[in-house]
Amino acid sequence: MASPEHQGTRRGESGEPGRPPRRLFGDLGAMPLTELRERVVANNQLILTAIVAGIYLTGITAGWLRNAPQFATGVVIILVAALASLAVPWSRLHPSWVAAVPLVDIVAIALMRSSDVPGVALLWAFPVMWLSSLSRLWFVVSCVSTIAAYWITQALMPRFEWTWAVIVLPAVIVAIGASADNATRRFAAQRALLRTQTDRLTAALRHASRQELLLTEVLDTVDFGVLRFGPTGDITFVNDALGRFQQRIPTFGKLDPVEGIFAADGQTPLEPTERPLARLVRGESFTDLVVWYPVSESRRAALSLTARMMTDADGQPAGAVLVARDVTEERTALKARDSLVASVSHELRTPLTSILGYLELALDADGVPDGVRRQVDVAYRNSERLLGIVSGILAASTASRMSAEVTLSPVDCDLGALLRASASDLGPIARERAIRIDTDDVPSVSAFIDPARVRQVIDNLVSNAIKFNRDGGTVTLGSSTDGVHTWFLVRDSGIGLSGDDQDRVFERFFRAESGVPGTGLGLAISREIVQAHGGEITLTSTLGLGTTFMVQLPATATVAASGVPEDPDADPRPEALR
């Protein structure tokens, strides 16, 4: 795991932070043109001088240049030109002055050629190539001056004859000059292209560096930690937040067995092989994995961890990214909320029990008028429902994160009667908003259920259908059975639910953005009750058109005890309720 000193570090290919990027093409183009010009002049002239000096020394030694004063004069001129190429500050002169040296060489070679030394005329190739590399104009000048010098020296020789051999050397000189000119132009084009590519790559590198710096600064400002591993397992990036997590939570990032690390419930110890970094090393990906780490002997911290494996453009492994978020306060607040709900529910249950007792005494008393008895009976039944709701809330708040503790007393019951009774009890609330509750499709159907618990589910669904409906809307109830399963539906013509809300509607304390007050517990408790019966609750909704809840329950005790396998490709709903 990264240590705190790695915070906010970017690493290059060498793994050394802070190293400037290397030049893509070495030092190409780094030399100033003036210095390059001086080197070219000196190198070209020294090569010719060395060749001429070798020929002269060889001729003197062999004896065939002892009586050749013109050749010696040409050699001296070339030597003087060589000294000038070294001494003259060509960088301070106009570039055209460089042509003076090869022009002098042409004259010097003409003097050596007049000595009638065989093969000396080939030395004109050096100044011709040099001049041709300067420009197209100097290519023409070099060819004209060299051919003229050759023909003049040929004409001054005593045994001169006009033959085809007279034009062979000029043709070779022109070919050499043309080749040098073309090569120079190709080199210049390649150099310009290379310089353009270098500029583009440099600009791209600078842009990438700026983007990397911007990304690093952004990641260093957020409050969640980011850790990136390379394909070889080395750490390539750690932001400041992750460094702070490691400083505050010493056990975070340790692969060695450490006591006191727990799963999301805060009670189940995590085995070393199931801890986030161990799973990440094995190449596993995970999302929103909550782990409790010990901070001190009396304090713990909860981190939500998400890991993803990365691949490069070729599909090869490119390392992994781990994102850590501190959710200690969030988890503590959720626990405090559950504790508050449990406390309030417990406090409400005591007076409700007392109210039920006195209402029952009133119902058992003699001499109570029938009208009053009916009113007290309605109050008694609704108090019982309220006590059941409070008990359900208390169970949901004290249960595990994903389920509520539901105690059932199932019996054979008429589900249609429960639906009609709920519609009757909630009818006054619906009529206040001119909402009609349609029970025409509610026949008497048998189900093996806990009547009180299922009535709680029905009341919750019908109440929601009224609350989230439009004024003047309709709530439709329906029921059906095939002898194995029994269904009922609650359909409204209200505002509907978005796709995201449909995915979360059964979460505890979740409330859609509708402005309708509520606790966000009703549907969560309803689903727990239905699942405790061995049933299923589903919904379909269209935003702006309405929502339909479908509940499936066992029809008999045998089905409730054993269950009946269903065809996975078949629609489980009866045709009347589709």
Side-chain angles (χ1 to χ4, degrees):
M1 191 66 183
S3 56
E5 56 267 20
H6 288 127
Q7 298 176 21
T9 300
R10 298 192 308 277
R11 293 172 177 265
E13 294 180 355
S14 62
E16 299 179 10
R19 168 175 286 191
R22 293 174 294 181
R23 294 184 62 88
L24 296 175
F25 300 98
D27 292 330
L28 183 62
M31 182 185 301
L33 290 178
T34 54
E35 182 180 349
L36 182 63
R37 188 188 311 149
E38 291 181 354
R39 291 192 180 186
V40 169
V41 172
N43 290 340
N44 288 346
Q45 186 61 27
L46 289 178
I47 291 174
L48 177 61
T49 302
I51 294 174
V52 170
I55 295 173
Y56 183 71
L57 292 176
T58 301
I60 292 295
T61 302
W64 44 272
L65 283 179
R66 292 178 180 175
N67 297 317
Q70 296 93 337
F71 195 96
T73 302
V75 171
V76 171
I77 293 175
I78 289 178
L79 290 173
V80 172
L83 295 175
S85 68
L86 296 173
V88 174
W90 301 103
S91 60
R92 300 179 183 177
L93 302 177
H94 192 274
S96 299
W97 282 102
V98 173
V101 177
L103 290 175
V104 171
D105 291 338
I106 292 175
V107 175
I109 294 172
L111 291 174
M112 292 188 292
R113 175 71 181 81
S114 63
S115 298
D116 199 16
V117 177
V120 172
L122 294 177
L123 295 176
W124 270 314
F126 288 95
V128 168
M129 287 190 295
W130 188 352
L131 287 171
S132 298
S133 66
L134 297 180
S135 68
R136 183 64 58 85
L137 175 63
W138 286 113
F139 160 64
V140 175
V141 171
S142 66
C143 291
V144 171
S145 59
T146 301
I147 294 173
Y150 172 69
W151 282 344
I152 291 173
T153 55
Q154 283 288 94
L156 294 177
M157 288 184 180
R159 296 185 302 275
F160 171 71
E161 294 182 3
W162 287 98
T163 64
W164 286 105
V166 175
I167 63 173
V168 172
L169 183 63
V172 171
I173 292 297
V174 172
I176 291 174
S179 300
D181 178 66
N182 291 333
T184 301
R185 290 181 176 275
R186 286 196 300 270
F187 175 76
Q190 292 173 353
R191 185 183 180 88
L193 177 62
L194 186 60
R195 185 180 292 108
T196 301
Q197 293 176 342
T198 302
D199 293 340
R200 291 180 178 177
L201 289 176
T202 302
L205 180 61
R206 289 176 180 173
H207 179 72
S209 299
R210 287 195 298 268
Q211 292 295 105
E212 183 181 2
L213 180 60
L214 176 62
L215 178 61
T216 301
E217 292 175 350
V218 171
L219 290 178
D220 283 339
T221 58
V222 298
D223 59 354
F224 54 83
V226 180
L227 170 67
R228 184 182 186 277
F229 290 97
T232 59
D234 55 321
I235 297 173
T236 58
F237 180 82
V238 177
N239 73 336
D240 291 344
L242 194 75
R244 291 194 296 270
F245 289 164
Q246 189 178 2
Q247 289 178 345
R248 186 167 65 90
I249 308 172
T251 55
F252 175 65
K254 293 185 181 294
L255 294 175
D256 301 331
V258 179
E259 298 295 333
I261 300 180
F262 297 91
D265 59 5
Q267 299 177 358
T268 306
L270 272 183
E271 296 295 329
T273 56
E274 295 302 319
R275 293 173 185 175
L277 283 184
R279 294 177 58 182
L280 188 62
V281 170
R282 294 198 301 266
E284 296 183 21
S285 297
F286 45 86
T287 301
D288 195 19
L289 176 64
V290 178
V291 180
W292 286 90
Y293 292 93
V295 176
S296 62
E297 294 182 359
S298 59
R299 295 176 57 223
R300 297 190 304 174
L303 295 182
S304 174
L305 303 166
T306 298
R308 289 290 183 272
M309 307 306 297
M310 298 169 40
T311 57
D312 58 19
D314 298 326
Q316 299 299 318
V321 172
L322 177 70
V323 178
R325 185 169 61 91
D326 189 347
V327 294
T328 306
E329 294 183 359
E330 177 182 332
R331 290 282 164 164
T332 303
L334 288 175
K335 184 177 180 180
R337 183 182 64 182
D338 290 345
S339 299
L340 176 62
V341 172
S343 176
V344 172
S345 300
H346 180 74
E347 295 299 326
L348 285 174
R349 187 162 58 174
T350 301
L352 279 173
T353 303
S354 178
I355 292 172
L356 283 170
Y358 279 100
L359 289 174
E360 188 174 1
L361 289 175
L363 288 173
D364 293 338
D366 296 330
V368 179
D370 292 339
V372 175
R373 185 179 297 276
R374 285 194 301 271
Q375 294 173 355
V376 173
D377 183 61
V378 171
Y380 179 79
R381 286 189 287 107
N382 282 279
S383 297
E384 276 190 325
R385 288 198 305 108
L386 182 58
L387 180 60
I389 293 172
V390 171
S391 299
I393 295 174
L394 181 60
S397 62
T398 57
S400 66
R401 182 174 182 265
M402 297 302 296
S403 64
E405 298 173 353
V406 180
T407 303
L408 301 179
S409 299
V411 295
D412 288 322
C413 177
D414 183 0
L415 181 61
L418 294 179
L419 288 166
R420 289 189 293 271
S422 177
S424 176
D425 290 345
L426 295 174
I429 300 176
R431 286 192 292 272
E432 290 179 359
R433 298 178 54 198
I435 295 174
R436 185 173 66 91
I437 302 179
D438 184 0
T439 59
D440 293 341
D441 294 327
V442 183
S444 295
V445 291
S446 177
F448 187 73
I449 56 176
D450 184 329
R453 287 296 196 177
V454 173
R455 174 63 189 274
Q456 182 180 345
V457 174
I458 296 172
D459 286 346
N460 179 67
L461 295 179
V462 175
S463 176
N464 283 348
I466 295 172
K467 286 192 298 184
F468 293 95
N469 214 323
R470 296 183 174 86
D471 292 347
T474 302
V475 175
T476 302
L477 306 182
S479 61
S480 181
T481 184
D482 61 0
V484 177
H485 297 105
T486 298
W487 293 268
F488 76 88
L489 69 77
V490 178
R491 177 181 294 131
D492 65 64
S493 57
I495 59 177
L497 292 168
S498 66
D500 293 337
D501 288 344
Q502 292 181 48
D503 293 336
R504 301 186 58 194
V505 73
F506 291 109
E507 294 181 10
R508 289 193 304 156
F509 300 104
F510 173 76
R511 296 176 60 244
E513 298 293 335
S514 61
V516 178
T519 63
L521 286 171
L523 289 176
I525 295 174
S526 297
R527 183 176 65 172
E528 298 297 338
I529 294 173
V530 172
Q531 290 177 346
H533 282 84
E536 182 182 7
I537 180 171
T538 57
L539 74 90
T540 57
S541 183
T542 302
L543 194 63
L545 296 180
T547 303
T548 299
F549 283 90
M550 176 72 68
V551 178
Q552 173 187 293
L553 296 167
T556 64
T558 303
V559 175
S562 60
V564 175
E566 299 181 7
D567 182 359
D569 297 328
D571 190 341
R573 299 175 297 172
E575 185 175 354
L577 299 183
R578 292 179 186 175

